Every structure is written in C-alpha cells, then in structure tokens.
Amino acid sequence: MANETVLVLTGIGVAPYSARGLEQDLQPIDGAGQLRRTVNGTLVDLSETQLRKFTSTISGTDQLAPAVNGVWPGRMVTVDCIAELCYPTSGGSPDRSVVSGSSRIEGAMTYYRPQLAMMVKDWQLRRDEYGAQVSWTLELEEV
C-alpha cells in the first residue's frame, strides 16, 4: 500500500485509511511568550528560551479509526509534522530537527517539516455510521 500521508507518529503509528485529508495546527505553548510593559510603557520580552515549545492539534476524517487504542494522555510520541516552518535561506537555520527529505527552497525562504518530541494531551474519536466516516483529533504538546 502506498503512503497515504507524510505524517509519522512514532510510538503510535498511523493506521491505513485513517489519515487522508489531515490538518495540523502548530502554535506556541501558553508560556512561550512573556511580554510585559515597563513603567515607561515600552514592551519587553521576558520569555525564557527553554519555554519556546509548540502545541499541536492533528485532525482528520477518513474511513477507519486511527491507532488510538491504549494511547492515553502522557504518552510520548515523535511527530514528523505535516505543517511546515520556514526561515530565510541566507543567514537562517531551522530551530527544530528537520524531517528527512522535507526541506525545500522557495525564493529566498527555506521550508521544512519539523520533527518534534511530543506528549499526548488528549484525543477524540467520532464515527458517522451512515456516512461511513471517522473523524478524529489528536492534541499534543512538545516536551
């Protein structure tokens, strides 16, 4: 069977016919940005670099359920993301591990899919019996 998706979930797996039409949200965790105003009104960044982590939601609708049996919050998983990050090719560099073969250059920018060590926060599964579709969501946070 040919690959249905570029998504890789090492530690869980991606079940056949569960991953077509996937979407992935990638955003900073709540503690990543600590912006404050000085007494003079100037905005300053008090963020700690070790808190620059991502949270991610992966969702899809397909014919079969994803591989979530035995997957509980706290489960470690390595995610080869479907979402891409980019940086200026000249003078820039990726700040996360790059999924092998995913790096590409478009104009002055380099795009890549990050590989992230993440922990399962939650998941949801919904089956439409009549429509013969399974919708699912997997919520993750970078460790």
Side-chain angles (χ1 to χ4, degrees), residues 52-111:
R52 293 181 180 162
K53 305 283 185 173
F54 289 108
T55 183
S56 181
T57 301
I58 301 170
S59 59
T61 300
D62 206 341
Q63 295 175 348
L64 297 175
V68 292
N69 182 68
V71 176
W72 298 102
R75 175 85 172 258
M76 294 293 300
V77 61
T78 300
V79 180
D80 289 5
C81 293
I82 59 176
E84 289 183 315
L85 299 175
C86 75
Y87 58 89
T89 302
S90 178
S93 64
D95 70 352
R96 295 296 191 276
S97 297
V98 178
V99 171
S100 179
S102 73
S103 185
R104 63 186 172 80
I105 296 173
E106 294 283 336
M109 305 302 281
T110 298
Y111 290 81

CSV table of all heavy atoms in Angstrom, one decimal, residues 52-111:
chain,number,residue,atom,x,y,z
A,52,ARG,N,10.2,27.9,24.7
A,52,ARG,CA,9.8,28.1,23.3
A,52,ARG,C,9.4,26.7,22.7
A,52,ARG,O,10.2,26.1,22.0
A,52,ARG,CB,10.8,28.8,22.5
A,52,ARG,CG,11.0,30.2,23.0
A,52,ARG,CD,12.0,31.0,22.2
A,52,ARG,NE,12.1,32.3,22.8
A,52,ARG,CZ,13.1,33.1,22.6
A,52,ARG,NH1,14.1,32.7,21.8
A,52,ARG,NH2,13.1,34.3,23.1
A,53,LYS,N,8.2,26.2,23.1
A,53,LYS,CA,7.8,24.9,22.7
A,53,LYS,C,6.4,25.1,21.9
A,53,LYS,O,5.8,26.1,22.0
A,53,LYS,CB,7.5,24.0,23.9
A,53,LYS,CG,8.7,23.9,24.8
A,53,LYS,CD,9.7,22.9,24.3
A,53,LYS,CE,10.8,22.7,25.3
A,53,LYS,NZ,11.7,21.7,24.9
A,54,PHE,N,6.1,24.0,21.2
A,54,PHE,CA,4.8,24.0,20.4
A,54,PHE,C,3.7,23.1,21.0
A,54,PHE,O,4.0,22.1,21.7
A,54,PHE,CB,5.1,23.5,19.0
A,54,PHE,CG,5.9,24.4,18.1
A,54,PHE,CD1,7.2,24.1,17.8
A,54,PHE,CD2,5.4,25.5,17.6
A,54,PHE,CE1,8.0,24.9,17.0
A,54,PHE,CE2,6.1,26.4,16.8
A,54,PHE,CZ,7.4,26.0,16.5
A,55,THR,N,2.5,23.5,20.8
A,55,THR,CA,1.4,22.7,21.0
A,55,THR,C,0.8,22.4,19.6
A,55,THR,O,1.0,23.2,18.7
A,55,THR,CB,0.3,23.3,21.9
A,55,THR,OG1,-0.8,22.4,22.1
A,55,THR,CG2,-0.2,24.6,21.3
A,56,SER,N,0.2,21.2,19.4
A,56,SER,CA,-0.3,20.9,18.1
A,56,SER,C,-1.6,20.1,18.2
A,56,SER,O,-1.7,19.3,19.1
A,56,SER,CB,0.8,20.0,17.3
A,56,SER,OG,0.3,19.7,16.0
A,57,THR,N,-2.4,20.3,17.2
A,57,THR,CA,-3.7,19.6,17.0
A,57,THR,C,-3.7,19.0,15.6
A,57,THR,O,-3.5,19.7,14.7
A,57,THR,CB,-4.9,20.4,17.3
A,57,THR,OG1,-4.9,21.0,18.6
A,57,THR,CG2,-6.2,19.6,17.1
A,58,ILE,N,-3.8,17.7,15.5
A,58,ILE,CA,-3.9,17.0,14.3
A,58,ILE,C,-5.3,16.4,14.2
A,58,ILE,O,-5.7,15.8,15.1
A,58,ILE,CB,-2.8,15.9,14.1
A,58,ILE,CG1,-1.4,16.4,14.3
A,58,ILE,CG2,-3.0,15.1,12.8
A,58,ILE,CD1,-0.3,15.4,14.4
A,59,SER,N,-6.0,16.7,13.0
A,59,SER,CA,-7.3,16.2,12.9
A,59,SER,C,-7.5,15.7,11.5
A,59,SER,O,-6.8,16.1,10.5
A,59,SER,CB,-8.3,17.3,13.2
A,59,SER,OG,-8.2,18.4,12.3
A,60,GLY,N,-8.4,14.7,11.3
A,60,GLY,CA,-8.7,14.2,10.0
A,60,GLY,C,-10.1,13.5,10.0
A,60,GLY,O,-10.7,13.2,11.0
A,61,THR,N,-10.5,13.2,8.8
A,61,THR,CA,-11.8,12.5,8.6
A,61,THR,C,-11.5,11.5,7.5
A,61,THR,O,-11.0,11.9,6.4
A,61,THR,CB,-12.9,13.4,8.2
A,61,THR,OG1,-13.2,14.3,9.2
A,61,THR,CG2,-14.2,12.6,7.9
A,62,ASP,N,-11.7,10.2,7.7
A,62,ASP,CA,-11.4,9.2,6.7
A,62,ASP,C,-12.3,8.0,7.0
A,62,ASP,O,-13.3,8.1,7.7
A,62,ASP,CB,-9.9,8.8,6.8
A,62,ASP,CG,-9.4,8.2,5.5
A,62,ASP,OD1,-10.2,7.8,4.7
A,62,ASP,OD2,-8.1,8.1,5.4
A,63,GLN,N,-12.0,6.8,6.4
A,63,GLN,CA,-12.9,5.7,6.5
A,63,GLN,C,-12.8,4.9,7.8
A,63,GLN,O,-13.7,4.3,8.2
A,63,GLN,CB,-12.6,4.8,5.3
A,63,GLN,CG,-13.0,5.4,4.0
A,63,GLN,CD,-12.6,4.5,2.8
A,63,GLN,OE1,-11.9,3.5,3.0
A,63,GLN,NE2,-13.1,4.8,1.7
A,64,LEU,N,-11.5,4.8,8.4
A,64,LEU,CA,-11.3,4.0,9.5
A,64,LEU,C,-10.7,4.8,10.7
A,64,LEU,O,-10.2,5.9,10.5
A,64,LEU,CB,-10.3,2.8,9.1
A,64,LEU,CG,-10.8,1.9,8.1
A,64,LEU,CD1,-9.7,0.9,7.7
A,64,LEU,CD2,-12.1,1.2,8.6
A,65,ALA,N,-10.8,4.2,11.8
A,65,ALA,CA,-10.3,4.9,13.1
A,65,ALA,C,-8.7,4.9,13.1
A,65,ALA,O,-8.1,4.0,12.5
A,65,ALA,CB,-10.8,4.1,14.3
A,66,PRO,N,-8.2,5.9,13.7
A,66,PRO,CA,-6.7,6.0,13.9
A,66,PRO,C,-6.3,5.0,15.0
A,66,PRO,O,-7.1,4.5,15.7
A,66,PRO,CB,-6.5,7.4,14.3
A,66,PRO,CG,-7.7,7.8,15.0
A,66,PRO,CD,-8.9,7.1,14.3
A,67,ALA,N,-5.0,4.9,15.1
A,67,ALA,CA,-4.4,3.9,16.1
A,67,ALA,C,-4.4,4.5,17.5
A,67,ALA,O,-3.3,4.9,17.9
A,67,ALA,CB,-3.0,3.5,15.6
A,68,VAL,N,-5.5,4.6,18.2
A,68,VAL,CA,-5.5,5.3,19.5
A,68,VAL,C,-5.8,4.3,20.6
A,68,VAL,O,-5.8,4.7,21.8
A,68,VAL,CB,-6.5,6.4,19.6
A,68,VAL,CG1,-6.1,7.6,18.7
A,68,VAL,CG2,-7.9,6.0,19.2
A,69,ASN,N,-5.9,3.0,20.3
A,69,ASN,CA,-6.1,2.0,21.4
A,69,ASN,C,-4.9,2.0,22.3
A,69,ASN,O,-3.8,1.9,21.8
A,69,ASN,CB,-6.3,0.6,20.8
A,69,ASN,CG,-6.5,-0.4,21.8
A,69,ASN,OD1,-7.6,-0.4,22.5
A,69,ASN,ND2,-5.6,-1.3,22.0
A,70,GLY,N,-5.1,2.2,23.6
A,70,GLY,CA,-4.0,2.2,24.5
A,70,GLY,C,-3.2,3.5,24.6
A,70,GLY,O,-2.2,3.6,25.3
A,71,VAL,N,-3.7,4.5,23.8
A,71,VAL,CA,-3.0,5.8,23.8
A,71,VAL,C,-3.7,6.7,24.8
A,71,VAL,O,-4.8,7.1,24.6
A,71,VAL,CB,-3.0,6.4,22.4
A,71,VAL,CG1,-2.3,7.8,22.4
A,71,VAL,CG2,-2.2,5.5,21.4
A,72,TRP,N,-3.0,7.0,25.9
A,72,TRP,CA,-3.6,7.9,26.9
A,72,TRP,C,-2.8,9.1,27.1
A,72,TRP,O,-1.6,9.2,26.7
A,72,TRP,CB,-3.7,7.1,28.3
A,72,TRP,CG,-4.5,5.9,28.2
A,72,TRP,CD1,-4.2,4.6,28.0
A,72,TRP,CD2,-6.0,5.9,28.2
A,72,TRP,NE1,-5.2,3.8,27.9
A,72,TRP,CE2,-6.4,4.5,28.0
A,72,TRP,CE3,-6.9,6.9,28.3
A,72,TRP,CZ2,-7.7,4.2,28.0
A,72,TRP,CZ3,-8.3,6.5,28.2
A,72,TRP,CH2,-8.7,5.2,28.1
A,73,PRO,N,-3.4,10.2,27.7
A,73,PRO,CA,-2.6,11.4,27.9
A,73,PRO,C,-1.3,11.0,28.7
A,73,PRO,O,-1.3,10.2,29.6
A,73,PRO,CB,-3.5,12.2,28.8
A,73,PRO,CG,-4.9,11.8,28.3
A,73,PRO,CD,-4.8,10.3,28.1
A,74,GLY,N,-0.2,11.7,28.3
A,74,GLY,CA,1.1,11.4,28.8
A,74,GLY,C,2.0,10.5,28.0
A,74,GLY,O,3.2,10.4,28.2
A,75,ARG,N,1.4,9.9,26.9
A,75,ARG,CA,2.1,9.0,26.0
A,75,ARG,C,3.1,9.8,25.2
A,75,ARG,O,2.7,10.8,24.6
A,75,ARG,CB,1.1,8.3,25.1
A,75,ARG,CG,1.7,7.4,24.0
A,75,ARG,CD,2.1,6.0,24.6
A,75,ARG,NE,2.5,5.1,23.5
A,75,ARG,CZ,1.7,4.2,23.0
A,75,ARG,NH1,0.4,4.1,23.4
A,75,ARG,NH2,2.1,3.4,22.1
A,76,MET,N,4.3,9.4,25.1
A,76,MET,CA,5.4,10.1,24.3
A,76,MET,C,5.2,9.6,22.9
A,76,MET,O,5.0,8.4,22.6
A,76,MET,CB,6.8,9.7,24.9
A,76,MET,CG,7.1,10.3,26.2
A,76,MET,SD,7.1,12.1,26.3
A,76,MET,CE,8.4,12.4,25.1
A,77,VAL,N,5.4,10.6,22.0
A,77,VAL,CA,5.4,10.3,20.5
A,77,VAL,C,6.3,11.2,19.8
A,77,VAL,O,6.5,12.4,20.2
A,77,VAL,CB,3.9,10.4,20.0
A,77,VAL,CG1,3.4,11.7,20.2
A,77,VAL,CG2,3.8,9.9,18.6
A,78,THR,N,7.0,10.7,18.8
A,78,THR,CA,7.8,11.6,17.9
A,78,THR,C,6.9,11.8,16.7
A,78,THR,O,6.4,10.9,16.0
A,78,THR,CB,9.1,10.9,17.5
A,78,THR,OG1,9.8,10.6,18.7
A,78,THR,CG2,9.9,11.8,16.6
A,79,VAL,N,6.7,13.1,16.4
A,79,VAL,CA,5.8,13.6,15.3
A,79,VAL,C,6.6,14.1,14.1
A,79,VAL,O,7.4,15.1,14.3
A,79,VAL,CB,4.8,14.6,15.8
A,79,VAL,CG1,3.9,15.0,14.7
A,79,VAL,CG2,4.0,14.1,17.0
A,80,ASP,N,6.5,13.5,13.0
A,80,ASP,CA,7.0,14.1,11.7
A,80,ASP,C,5.9,14.9,11.2
A,80,ASP,O,4.9,14.3,10.6
A,80,ASP,CB,7.4,13.0,10.7
A,80,ASP,CG,8.7,12.3,11.1
A,80,ASP,OD1,9.2,12.5,12.2
A,80,ASP,OD2,9.2,11.4,10.3
A,81,CYS,N,5.9,16.2,11.4
A,81,CYS,CA,4.7,17.1,11.2
A,81,CYS,C,4.4,17.1,9.7
A,81,CYS,O,5.2,16.9,8.8
A,81,CYS,CB,5.1,18.5,11.6
A,81,CYS,SG,5.2,18.6,13.4
A,82,ILE,N,3.1,17.4,9.4
A,82,ILE,CA,2.6,17.8,8.1
A,82,ILE,C,2.7,19.3,7.9
A,82,ILE,O,2.9,19.8,6.8
A,82,ILE,CB,1.2,17.2,7.8
A,82,ILE,CG1,0.2,17.8,8.7
A,82,ILE,CG2,1.2,15.7,7.8
A,82,ILE,CD1,-1.2,17.4,8.4
A,83,ALA,N,2.7,20.0,9.0
A,83,ALA,CA,2.8,21.5,9.0
A,83,ALA,C,4.3,21.9,8.7
A,83,ALA,O,5.2,21.1,9.1
A,83,ALA,CB,2.4,22.1,10.3
A,84,GLU,N,4.5,22.9,7.9
A,84,GLU,CA,5.8,23.4,7.6
A,84,GLU,C,6.2,24.7,8.3
A,84,GLU,O,5.3,25.5,8.6
A,84,GLU,CB,5.9,23.7,6.1
A,84,GLU,CG,5.9,22.5,5.2
A,84,GLU,CD,6.1,22.8,3.7
A,84,GLU,OE1,5.5,23.8,3.3
A,84,GLU,OE2,6.9,22.1,3.1
A,85,LEU,N,7.5,24.8,8.6
A,85,LEU,CA,8.0,26.0,9.1
A,85,LEU,C,9.0,26.6,8.1
A,85,LEU,O,9.4,25.8,7.2
A,85,LEU,CB,8.8,25.8,10.4
A,85,LEU,CG,8.0,25.3,11.6
A,85,LEU,CD1,8.9,25.0,12.8
A,85,LEU,CD2,6.9,26.2,12.0
A,86,CYS,N,9.3,27.9,8.1
A,86,CYS,CA,10.3,28.4,7.1
A,86,CYS,C,11.2,29.4,7.8
A,86,CYS,O,10.8,30.0,8.8
A,86,CYS,CB,9.6,28.9,5.9
A,86,CYS,SG,8.7,30.5,6.1
A,87,TYR,N,12.3,29.7,7.1
A,87,TYR,CA,13.3,30.7,7.6
A,87,TYR,C,14.0,31.2,6.4
A,87,TYR,O,14.0,30.6,5.3
A,87,TYR,CB,14.3,30.0,8.6
A,87,TYR,CG,15.0,28.8,8.0
A,87,TYR,CD1,16.2,29.0,7.3
A,87,TYR,CD2,14.5,27.5,8.1
A,87,TYR,CE1,16.9,27.9,6.8
A,87,TYR,CE2,15.2,26.5,7.6
A,87,TYR,CZ,16.4,26.7,6.9
A,87,TYR,OH,17.1,25.6,6.4
A,88,PRO,N,14.6,32.4,6.5
A,88,PRO,CA,15.4,33.0,5.4
A,88,PRO,C,16.5,32.1,5.0
A,88,PRO,O,17.3,31.7,5.9
A,88,PRO,CB,15.8,34.3,5.9
A,88,PRO,CG,15.0,34.6,7.1
A,88,PRO,CD,14.6,33.3,7.6
A,89,THR,N,16.7,31.7,3.8
A,89,THR,CA,17.7,30.8,3.4
A,89,THR,C,19.1,31.4,3.6
A,89,THR,O,20.0,30.7,4.1
A,89,THR,CB,17.6,30.5,1.9
A,89,THR,OG1,16.3,29.9,1.6
A,89,THR,CG2,18.7,29.5,1.4
A,90,SER,N,19.3,32.7,3.4
A,90,SER,CA,20.5,33.4,3.6
A,90,SER,C,20.6,33.8,5.1
A,90,SER,O,19.8,34.7,5.5
A,90,SER,CB,20.6,34.6,2.7
A,90,SER,OG,21.8,35.3,3.0
A,91,GLY,N,21.5,33.1,5.9
A,91,GLY,CA,21.7,33.5,7.3
A,91,GLY,C,20.7,32.9,8.2
A,91,GLY,O,20.9,33.0,9.4
A,92,GLY,N,19.7,32.1,7.8
A,92,GLY,CA,18.8,31.5,8.7
A,92,GLY,C,19.1,30.0,8.8
A,92,GLY,O,20.0,29.4,8.2
A,93,SER,N,18.4,29.4,9.8
A,93,SER,CA,18.6,27.9,10.0
A,93,SER,C,17.4,27.4,10.7
A,93,SER,O,16.7,28.2,11.4
A,93,SER,CB,19.9,27.6,10.8
A,93,SER,OG,19.7,28.2,12.1
A,94,PRO,N,17.1,26.1,10.6
A,94,PRO,CA,15.9,25.6,11.3
A,94,PRO,C,16.2,25.5,12.8
A,94,PRO,O,17.3,25.3,13.2
A,94,PRO,CB,15.8,24.1,10.7
A,94,PRO,CG,17.2,23.8,10.2
A,94,PRO,CD,17.8,25.1,9.8
A,95,ASP,N,15.1,25.8,13.6
A,95,ASP,CA,15.3,25.7,15.0
A,95,ASP,C,14.8,24.4,15.6
A,95,ASP,O,14.7,24.2,16.8
A,95,ASP,CB,14.8,26.9,15.8
A,95,ASP,CG,13.2,27.0,15.7
A,95,ASP,OD1,12.6,26.2,15.1
A,95,ASP,OD2,12.7,27.9,16.4
A,96,ARG,N,14.3,23.5,14.8
A,96,ARG,CA,13.9,22.1,15.2
A,96,ARG,C,14.5,21.1,14.2
A,96,ARG,O,15.0,21.5,13.1
A,96,ARG,CB,12.4,22.0,15.1
A,96,ARG,CG,11.6,22.9,16.1
A,96,ARG,CD,11.9,22.5,17.5
A,96,ARG,NE,11.0,23.1,18.5
A,96,ARG,CZ,11.2,24.3,19.0
A,96,ARG,NH1,12.1,25.1,18.6
A,96,ARG,NH2,10.3,24.8,19.9
A,97,SER,N,14.5,19.9,14.6
A,97,SER,CA,15.0,18.8,13.7
A,97,SER,C,14.2,18.8,12.5
A,97,SER,O,13.0,19.0,12.5
A,97,SER,CB,14.9,17.5,14.4
A,97,SER,OG,15.8,17.4,15.5
A,98,VAL,N,14.8,18.5,11.3
A,98,VAL,CA,14.1,18.6,10.0
A,98,VAL,C,13.8,17.1,9.6
A,98,VAL,O,14.6,16.2,9.7
A,98,VAL,CB,15.0,19.2,9.0
A,98,VAL,CG1,14.4,19.1,7.6
A,98,VAL,CG2,15.4,20.6,9.4
A,99,VAL,N,12.5,16.9,9.3
A,99,VAL,CA,12.1,15.6,8.8
A,99,VAL,C,12.9,15.3,7.5
A,99,VAL,O,13.0,16.2,6.6
A,99,VAL,CB,10.6,15.5,8.5
A,99,VAL,CG1,10.3,14.2,7.7
A,99,VAL,CG2,9.8,15.7,9.7
A,100,SER,N,13.6,14.2,7.5
A,100,SER,CA,14.5,13.8,6.3
A,100,SER,C,13.7,14.0,5.0
A,100,SER,O,12.6,13.5,4.8
A,100,SER,CB,15.0,12.4,6.5
A,100,SER,OG,15.8,12.0,5.4
A,101,GLY,N,14.4,14.7,4.1
A,101,GLY,CA,13.8,14.9,2.8
A,101,GLY,C,12.7,16.0,2.6
A,101,GLY,O,12.2,16.2,1.6
A,102,SER,N,12.4,16.7,3.7
A,102,SER,CA,11.3,17.6,3.7
A,102,SER,C,11.7,19.1,3.4
A,102,SER,O,10.9,19.9,3.1
A,102,SER,CB,10.5,17.6,5.0
A,102,SER,OG,11.2,18.2,6.0
A,103,SER,N,13.0,19.3,3.4
A,103,SER,CA,13.5,20.7,3.2
A,103,SER,C,13.4,21.1,1.7
A,103,SER,O,13.8,20.3,0.8
A,103,SER,CB,14.9,20.8,3.7
A,103,SER,OG,15.4,22.1,3.6
A,104,ARG,N,13.0,22.3,1.5
A,104,ARG,CA,12.9,22.8,0.1
A,104,ARG,C,13.0,24.3,0.1
A,104,ARG,O,12.7,25.0,1.1
A,104,ARG,CB,11.6,22.4,-0.6
A,104,ARG,CG,10.4,23.0,0.0
A,104,ARG,CD,9.1,22.4,-0.6
A,104,ARG,NE,7.9,22.9,0.2
A,104,ARG,CZ,7.3,24.1,0.1
A,104,ARG,NH1,7.8,25.0,-0.8
A,104,ARG,NH2,6.3,24.4,0.8
A,105,ILE,N,13.5,24.9,-1.0
A,105,ILE,CA,13.7,26.3,-1.1
A,105,ILE,C,12.7,26.9,-2.1
A,105,ILE,O,12.5,26.4,-3.2
A,105,ILE,CB,15.2,26.6,-1.6
A,105,ILE,CG1,16.2,26.1,-0.5
A,105,ILE,CG2,15.4,28.1,-1.8
A,105,ILE,CD1,17.6,26.2,-0.9
A,106,GLU,N,12.1,27.9,-1.7
A,106,GLU,CA,11.1,28.7,-2.5
A,106,GLU,C,11.6,30.2,-2.4
A,106,GLU,O,11.4,30.8,-1.4
A,106,GLU,CB,9.7,28.6,-2.0
A,106,GLU,CG,9.1,27.2,-2.1
A,106,GLU,CD,8.7,26.8,-3.5
A,106,GLU,OE1,8.4,27.7,-4.3
A,106,GLU,OE2,8.7,25.6,-3.8
A,107,GLY,N,12.1,30.7,-3.5
A,107,GLY,CA,12.6,32.0,-3.5
A,107,GLY,C,13.7,32.2,-2.5
A,107,GLY,O,14.7,31.5,-2.4
A,108,ALA,N,13.6,33.2,-1.6
A,108,ALA,CA,14.6,33.4,-0.5
A,108,ALA,C,14.3,32.7,0.8
A,108,ALA,O,15.0,32.9,1.8
A,108,ALA,CB,14.6,34.9,-0.2
A,109,MET,N,13.3,31.8,0.8
A,109,MET,CA,13.0,31.1,2.0
A,109,MET,C,13.2,29.6,1.9
A,109,MET,O,13.0,29.0,0.8
A,109,MET,CB,11.5,31.3,2.3
A,109,MET,CG,11.1,32.8,2.4
A,109,MET,SD,12.1,33.7,3.7
A,109,MET,CE,11.2,33.2,5.1
A,110,THR,N,13.5,29.0,3.0
A,110,THR,CA,13.7,27.5,3.1
A,110,THR,C,12.5,27.0,3.9
A,110,THR,O,12.3,27.5,5.1
A,110,THR,CB,15.0,27.1,3.7
A,110,THR,OG1,16.1,27.5,2.8
A,110,THR,CG2,15.1,25.6,3.8
A,111,TYR,N,11.8,26.0,3.4
A,111,TYR,CA,10.7,25.4,4.1
A,111,TYR,C,11.1,24.0,4.6
A,111,TYR,O,11.8,23.3,3.9
A,111,TYR,CB,9.4,25.3,3.2
A,111,TYR,CG,8.8,26.7,2.9
A,111,TYR,CD1,9.4,27.5,1.9
A,111,TYR,CD2,7.7,27.1,3.6
A,111,TYR,CE1,8.8,28.7,1.6
A,111,TYR,CE2,7.2,28.3,3.3
A,111,TYR,CZ,7.7,29.1,2.3
A,111,TYR,OH,7.2,30.4,2.0
